[in-house]
């Protein structure tokens, strides 16, 4: 479990960035293999977002060691922790307007902590003790963990062992005395450019004939045999032109976390890093514990980004002289209503959290699911209103290079001028590019599919809704006892 | 402040109903004056809903007297109280599927408690001590208080003293040594058929030239000089046919609280019951404190009703054999998502409540406003889906008298039969009438305009949103400092 | 086919009402059998709405006889006819704000005309000639036809012959030399109180083992053996108090068509009135032809009602002095946008109509289905906005009897006064009751389920969407030929 | 008016592209001035979309010359022309999935034709005859015209002559014997990369003191003194890597029209090309005529793109094995419903078009406005559903360079494989990139702000809604005559 390149606990953002340099994790992008991740313009903004968690740390006392640790590595010990978690996310997103990338690892750690306790209690295994050692190590060295769950899945209507290629779900291909060998891939996960360790989960419930697919483990991200391929993002080429940062929009912190595919080509994992193996009946429990913990966040992190978006749009309306028009105020109020409704979900599911037998607390499942589900609609509507309020220039603004050009720059500055008491043309350019960046394609898709696609939340809602109990309430109100007979 | 007809603290629902008989409050409806309110079919269902708060009491310790009191008369002492309040509302609405009518009084008491403290501190008045005595009396005798705030208002674009008739806002017309005389009216308030005392508020901010309109007071509901005229509700005539309760839908508990107009025809109020007079600069603070407290509730009480509605609809789908169809499940999941989002608002604003200088706690204003605002849309969508899932029979079901008729009843029972393992035709009839009742006109309007019309929430959201702070967040992300210059 | 009570062609509204008196059709309601339909307060408003089609007739030349007939009895001969039909509906609904009740018969006649031609051509039957005689008779005498299609259906997941009771779908129980005997029921159909003849359809596709259920026929509405039971409507009791018309809202024309259940207790139908029997493979074609024709209308008739609603709401905003506020104008514009979008659907599907082999024209199926589907959402949103704009008084306005009462009437008139230059209190009362009536329960349900529930439109959309053709378009754009291989 | 570089009428797409080469119009982008527009990868896809109108021409007979011309240069002579116009747009967008760029010029020509006739009639000017010559020339040579209307506008709450810089609206700075000199800019207009001539309009109503801003004229796009600066589009850099077309998504036809800013630096326009000068009272009429004509289109062109999007998404669902799941079908049906509702608007406003005194026909204003307004919401919802149905891979798919790389390409093809009977991995890649491209930022913004921002449509709706007439309808229904008194 020890990562050799990490020599000492990481304290500052500089420590953190240096640790990434030391680990030399390789990531493929645009057909090239990049070995200089923390110093490469393609990845710097993503690294910066994670670095913010070192610059602006939220400390908490570890229940394992009593030491002060970064809250992103904490196992939640009560509703206060659950609430502090989501408030931390909104606060950080207010500063970065970008996925902070460190929450999936936090959520995966909490889920593993909870479920390994359940398995050990039921089956006499010792996964939980193993995992506690991992958590202590991560906490002590203040490392960044990523959670990887989603398999490529091939045809959705087939089980893992029914696929044309058995590797379309990650599985164990060899069991050795000292550990296991895994093959397959994990897709769509966030944060490889800034992580030290990864925690790998199955993606769904599994039956006995898929027991080889029931595996949970951790490994350093630079483990040999793993190949990372970065996904394309909206306007990602603009990052390759660091001379013109304005056009990137959120040039300091990127737009989204930076998702990738990890291919595990017969990777060896020692036993000490394995937290589930063949106990297939617990696969679904990992998924659900992780999903609920992760869905808890979305109203806070997307709400935090929406705050920035509202601010940018409001500023542009001020600059255009329209901030007091009735229909403008009404639309801004709609953005606020949507934003705060998202946030209310994160807050509510956190306060309504429950303890598990392991001692760790988890958010209320129903409310966490509705929180995430709302982001799959409200974020789109927030973005739509923002695009309305910015005007057509959002899609027609010339490039920064044009604005900076000696011949045409002055023309652009002349004609795109707004109320100079509010802002200069370059400020307007910066804000418009920020809105473009926050409301563009990839960011929306992340709100849609991050932490599970919309239908997965509906499935959980229906399971937890207790419809028969509700039917009984209705029967009682009108004095009919049909439910008792069912 | 003492109500002579109340001889002893009310404990049981029977005590409560007897107390209403004793008070003999008169209410006009359908052109007649009714003096037998708690025994009159027009009002019985409304009284039953309030009586539920005696049958199924939520006890709490009074911070004033240390005695155990009904939570509806409590001054909230922390977020636990705020949360317990909204959970009580959902639980009671699960049982009654009807406005419980006792929350506006609770909210008005809390608001008066908070604001009188502020006035006294600032101006050396003694409103707060007066009011504490009132609260103690209400708590000790376990009485029901109603809150009345909305004036008729005439033309909305004119101030109280600019109206053609100065009485279109309630105001003081005479100041005496022993008290004041008020004239005017309060409209749209809930619960006169079941209340003992009323707490009267101004309806908006007031300027100095409207100081006579700045008045807050309490009085027994049977105070001479007040005339109550009940509003018409959807299908209210059905209550006048107690032989056929099924057609009423929610025949035990009515559909809505039962709103009325109260005309104050030169009503005398002794000084001991006056909690604001001429301190016009505090009128708006009463309004806002009450509005926020009341808006806090709507996700819980409307959510509680929606639970019953989901249950009724689900049961009908089971009876029709369609509960497992994909589009049916999807629509039920949408109802649940909307219901729980409403509820999340109530929960979040409660947990995020803040203490006031008086020691009383109040819900978070922003989140309370978004909670209420969401009900103005989500309740309609929940109802729409319910009407979709019930099928056209919701609008074409014959009357109970037809179902009971010896000649045609058998025909109806034959042709409206559904899966007999799920329910009999009469159960289906009862549930359809319940859905009709819960989704009909008045109930929706209550979700729209109760606790203030939608625009009033938007005004508060915009005031509390701190748009300049959000603009600064945006500026910081893209390195432009325009806000600092504004 | 001849109705003995009809002695001469009906020209005026008076002729029409007298013809209903002559036919003495009996309708059950509230447990009583009513034989005086056109003179009974329960039914008068419904009759008035149909009578409007005589008072304000839209003439057209019959393609069968060359005579001038009422357009409601016309077989459409081109897109001009289809467009004229929907414009007639909007115009009439502008005058009545109520379902005009005569379109389902028109649509059923057109559908039967089209499908009987197809059957005869394919199978050598002579349904079409029979039916043309019926149409000529209806045209000549200017009679009102109703269309009845929906069976009670019992459990939705079972076929007609699998139901516990075989009568849950209407079917032939005896074949005689001179005709057939039918048993079963038709539910939810509109207009029995004002019709002369009914045209009865099957409700779905049928397979061979359900051939007895494949039956289409016409009969006079007063045919012995048919029992009609009227459905309850929102606030229907108010019609029983003709002294207080204002409280009815739309007191002249009712709220909705007036739906009922018709029980056919072994009713004899002579062969000359039978237009389908046992040719089960055409049952679905009747359903679809009727459904498309009927769905064509909804944007026009509901749009016509929405016009009145917009007008009422706008007038109330003027009276309250708020018509120029930004958020008010914005909401009225939203109502207009929704209304005109509904109407655009009716207009578009009419102009895009196609000829059938029979020579009759039918609306475009896809566009007719989207038109109807939109009403299942937009009407609700229009109503929601209307309820927003009226304010809480919509749910709390006292009864007309109170307003007329010598003691409390003056109080109500004093306190509910608005800008007297715009309207008096009674006008406000009338308009608020109209809005209550138009936005209440039954009217919405009619927009939802009339002409088929929302899911039935989605089924047709998916069938007509030609998804493979669309997939090929996508493939062509990006140069991939996968569709050709499928 | 003659463009010297155009030697003969353009017939084929090749003729057309050559004509652009000949004209050598210069466009700035990315800080460089490009003189090879039709052969530059930045612009080729935009040119291709226009070239499609030559490859797949829709011929019509000119009412001026009787010759067969391209419908894009036609003056509409009846509703048949208006309908043919929108059907042409849907058909072309089905092939290109991209803004076809030639409609704004068509709409500007029709508007100018209509309004110049009105001015001449009222004021004895001869604008109309001048303009007819222009139209004949354009028709004869089959040229592409662009319409440019929107000024930069500076502060929206100030009139042109109140702005800090008078040039923020385009105006005449010098009147000469042979023509006028104009200064200012036009923003956000479409199609400069493929146009021959531009037709320039004012942007709003003008008062007398802004008469210098009342100017309408045409000029060749390569007129000296005009500087074009291309706006940035989502993922525009990908066009600069022609080796990897797949990542562009719609690599043949671009995503949107390609908008730009045109700066007029004292440009001379001869009198023969001036169609309005100083007749300020007609400025608004140009705007409205153009806006209505242009808004007519949006349901057809965006509907045409939506068809392709539905096809792409459906194909991907087939490939993933989920096309038959209930919730998937339901969402696709929602996409279809939205698409066809958009289209119904274009169809309806076309059929309901009206003649003008000039003989040209124009679409119904109200219905054209609701059509465009609906695109500002429905296109977003269509895109949202598409992003839902594609899954998270839409945001995480690696680059084409990665897929083509010898080392990691095989991994990607292995792990992103789907049902091989439906499509290969590369087809999936192509379709996902297409969806990314169609649902990304710029395309949405175009649907929002093209042909005017949403509020501008609401303003027109409110003006045309005739609210007083609607109020009278309501008054008539409930027998109150308030409107007659107003």
């Amino acid at each position: 479990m020890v990562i050799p390149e990490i020599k000492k606990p990481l304290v500052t953002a500089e420590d953190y960035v240096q640790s990434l340099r030391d680990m030399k994790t390789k990531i493929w992008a645009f057909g090239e293999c990049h070995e200089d991740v923390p110093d490469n313009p393609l990845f710097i903004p993503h690294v910066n977002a994670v670095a913010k968690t070192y610059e602006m740390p939220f400390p908490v006392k570890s229940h394992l060691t009593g030491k002060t640790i970064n809250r992103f590595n904490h196992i939640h010990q009560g509703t206060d922790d659950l609430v502090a978690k989501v408030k931390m996310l909104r606060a950080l997103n207010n500063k970065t307007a970008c996925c902070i990338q460190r929450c999936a690892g936090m959520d995966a750690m909490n889920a593993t902590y909870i479920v390994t306790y359940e398995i050990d209690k039921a089956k006499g295994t010792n996964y939980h003790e193993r995992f506690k050692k991992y958590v202590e190590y991560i906490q002590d060295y203040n490392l960044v963990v990523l959670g990887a769950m989603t398999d490529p899945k091939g045809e959705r209507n087939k089980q893992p062992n029914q696929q044309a290629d058995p590797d379309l779900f990650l599985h164990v291909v060899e069991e050795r005395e000292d550990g296991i060998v895994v093959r397959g891939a994990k897709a769509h996960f966030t944060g490889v450019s800034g992580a030290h360790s990864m925690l790998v989960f199955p993606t769904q419930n599994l039956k006995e004939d898929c027991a080889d697919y029931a595996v949970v483990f951790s490994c350093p991200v630079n483990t040999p045999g793993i190949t990372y391929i970065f996904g394309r993002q909206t306007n990602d080429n603009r990052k390759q032109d660091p001379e013109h940062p304005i056009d990137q929009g959120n040039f300091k912190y990127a737009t989204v976390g930076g998702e990738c595919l990890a291919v595990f080509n017969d990777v060896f994992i020692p036993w000490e890093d394995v937290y589930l193996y063949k106990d297939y009946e617990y696969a679904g429990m990992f998924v659900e514990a992780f999903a609920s913990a992760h869905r808890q966040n979305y109203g806070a992190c997307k709400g935090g980004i929406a705050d920035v978006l509202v601010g940018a749009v409001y500023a542009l309306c001020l600059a255009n002289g329209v901030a007091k028009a009735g229909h403008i105020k009404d639309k801004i109020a709609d953005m606020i209503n949507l934003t705060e409704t998202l946030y209310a979900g994160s807050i509510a599911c956190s306060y309504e959290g429950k303890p598990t037998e392991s001692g760790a607390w988890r958010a209320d499942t129903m409310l966490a699911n509705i929180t995430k589900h709302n982001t799959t609609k409200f974020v789109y509507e927030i973005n739509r209103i923002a695009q309305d309020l910015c005007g057509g220039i959002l899609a027609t603004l010339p490039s920064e290079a044009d604005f900076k050009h000696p011949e045409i720059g002055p023309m652009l500055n002349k004609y795109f001028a707004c109320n100079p008491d509010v802002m200069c043309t370059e400020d307007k350019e910066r804000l418009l590019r920020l809105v473009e960046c926050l409301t563009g394609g990839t960011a929306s898709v992340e709100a849609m599919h991050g932490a599970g696609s919309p239908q997965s939340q509906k499935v959980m809602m229906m399971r937890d809704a207790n419809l028969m109990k509700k039917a009984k309430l209705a029967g009682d109100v009108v004095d009919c006892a049909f439910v008792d007979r069912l």
Side-chain angles (χ1 to χ4, degrees), chain A:
Chain A
M1 144 209 322
V2 168
I3 303 177
E5 296 86 349
I6 307 295
K7 310 293 190 197
K8 62 176 174 75
L10 309 180
V11 180
T12 66
E14 290 68 32
D15 291 349
Y16 164 67
V17 174
Q18 186 56 47
S19 74
L20 299 180
R21 283 189 196 108
D22 296 342
M23 283 188 71
K24 293 193 181 60
T25 304
K26 297 173 199 166
I27 306 177
W28 286 82
F30 297 108
E32 286 178 56
C33 184
H34 302 277
E35 310 200 8
D36 59 344
V37 168
D39 298 301
N40 186 314
L42 263 183
F43 305 107
I44 289 172
H46 301 279
V47 172
N48 284 349
V50 188
K52 197 78 183 180
T53 67
Y54 290 88
E55 263 174 65
M56 183 176 149
F58 288 71
V60 64
K61 197 168 93 172
S62 167
H63 77 293
L64 293 172
T65 65
K67 294 182 209 164
T68 295
I69 60 168
N70 190 303
R71 182 172 285 287
F72 277 103
N73 290 336
H74 187 47
I75 302 300
H76 315 305
Q77 299 297 309
T79 58
D80 283 359
D81 277 341
L82 293 168
V83 172
K85 171 195 177 190
V86 297
K87 290 192 173 181
M88 170 176 73
L89 293 175
R90 187 169 186 176
L92 284 165
N93 274 282
N94 274 182
K95 294 296 180 191
T96 63
C98 173
C99 173
I100 212 71
Q101 301 164 63
R102 209 172 168 181
C103 67
M106 164 175 57
D107 299 329
M109 283 196 284
N110 274 273
T112 308
Y113 191 92
I114 289 168
V115 182
T116 53
Y117 185 93
E118 299 286 333
I119 312 176
D120 288 2
K121 198 183 64 171
K123 306 190 70 169
T125 44
N126 74 331
Y127 295 130
H128 191 63
E129 285 310 308
R130 266 188 209 166
F131 188 67
K132 276 163 70 173
K133 285 189 196 132
Y134 174 74
V135 174
E136 279 185 41
Y137 173 70
I138 295 295
Q139 289 182 341
D140 284 352
Y141 283 82
N142 192 12
L143 301 184
V144 174
V145 177
L146 69 79
M149 191 175 86
T150 311
D151 294 277
K153 290 193 295 221
E155 291 178 71
R156 301 302 187 270
N157 47 349
K158 292 184 175 168
Q159 291 301 308
N161 61 347
Q162 296 169 333
Q163 298 286 337
D165 179 346
D167 301 342
L168 286 171
F169 287 72
L170 185 143
H171 58 135
V172 176
V173 290
E174 188 187 346
E175 186 181 323
R176 296 194 199 158
E177 202 172 332
D178 52 350
I180 55 177
V181 177
V182 298
R183 187 187 299 156
K186 290 289 169 181
H188 314 325
F189 63 87
T190 296
V192 71
S193 59
H196 303 102
S197 176
M198 75 195 298
L199 192 47
V200 178
F201 269 33
T203 206
Q204 62 179 43
N205 281 315
L206 293 170
K207 296 201 179 135
E208 189 165 6
D209 57 1
C210 290
D212 290 343
Y213 293 85
V215 60
V216 173
F217 60 89
S218 65
C219 62
V221 291
N222 62 357
T223 298
I226 311 181
T227 304
Y228 301 101
I229 306 129
F230 219 59
R232 291 217 68 163
Q233 297 157 7
T234 305
N235 292 326
D236 49 4
N237 293 101
R238 299 189 191 177
K239 291 191 287 190
Q240 294 169 304
D241 176 15
E243 296 296 299
H244 296 109
I246 293 176
D247 281 1
Q248 292 182 39
N250 191 356
F251 51 85
K252 284 187 287 188
Y253 301 111
T255 311
V256 291
E259 280 71 39
C260 80
L261 181 80
V263 175
F264 291 76
N265 191 13
D266 293 358
V267 175
F268 173 73
I269 308 293
W271 285 121
E272 63 166 349
D273 296 335
V274 176
Y275 315 117
L276 179 78
Y277 176 48
K278 290 207 169 167
D279 297 298
Y280 64 89
E281 66 272 40
Y282 289 91
M285 200 184 286
F286 276 95
V287 175
E288 191 205 304
F290 173 63
S292 294
H294 205 39
R295 290 170 191 172
Q296 172 194 5
N297 307 338
Y298 272 67
C301 67
K302 300 307 175 202
I305 294 174
D307 287 331
V308 179
L309 186 58
V310 168
V313 165
Y314 176 65
L316 287 163
C317 289
L318 280 175
N320 285 338
V322 297
K324 289 189 176 163
H327 70 279
I328 301 285
K329 286 193 294 181
D330 207 59
K331 286 169 181 169
I332 292 178
D334 283 334
M335 293 179 81
I336 293 167
N337 189 49
L338 292 160
T339 301
E340 298 294 340
T341 302
L342 288 177
Y343 181 61
S346 284
I347 284 290
C349 72
S350 301
Y351 277 117
E352 292 284 294
K354 309 283 181 310
T356 64
E357 293 216 21
S358 71
W361 284 59
R362 54 185 285 184
D364 181 81
T365 308
M366 171 63 85
L367 295 175
N369 275 283
I370 63 113
T371 298
K372 169 63 216 314
H373 198 71
N374 285 337
T375 66
T376 70
K377 297 181 178 168
F378 293 2
V379 167
Y380 283 77
E381 181 63 3
I382 291 169
N383 291 352
R384 191 187 72 79
I385 302 173
Q387 294 190 348
D388 178 352
L389 291 173
C390 286
I393 195 172
L394 188 63
T396 69
L397 190 73
S399 72
E400 182 180 355
D402 294 314
F403 271 92
K404 295 280 194 296
H405 191 277
E407 185 176 340
I408 57 168
M411 290 186 206
L412 294 175
N413 281 298
K414 173 183 170 77
Y415 286 109
F416 288 126
C418 53
N419 182 340
D421 294 339
V422 178
M423 63 177 75
C424 62
T425 307
E426 189 183 298
D427 283 350
K428 185 172 157 187
E429 210 188 326
R430 288 174 183 265
L431 290 169
L432 284 165
R433 288 287 170 221
L434 178 62
V435 175
E436 180 194 27
C437 166
L438 298 180
T439 63
T442 316
S444 299
V445 178
E446 213 284 317
M448 176 65 81
H449 293 289
S453 298
Q455 194 63 15
S456 65
Q457 289 113 48
K458 284 197 163 179
V459 169
M460 276 213 202
M461 282 179 219
M462 285 300 270
R463 198 200 55 191
D464 286 4
N466 202 344
L467 291 171
M468 276 313 227
K469 186 183 153 203
K470 286 183 164 52
K472 187 161 166 43
L473 290 175
D476 287 350
V477 166
V478 290
D479 283 347
C480 60
F482 64 91
V483 174
D484 300 337
R485 292 191 312 266
L486 286 180

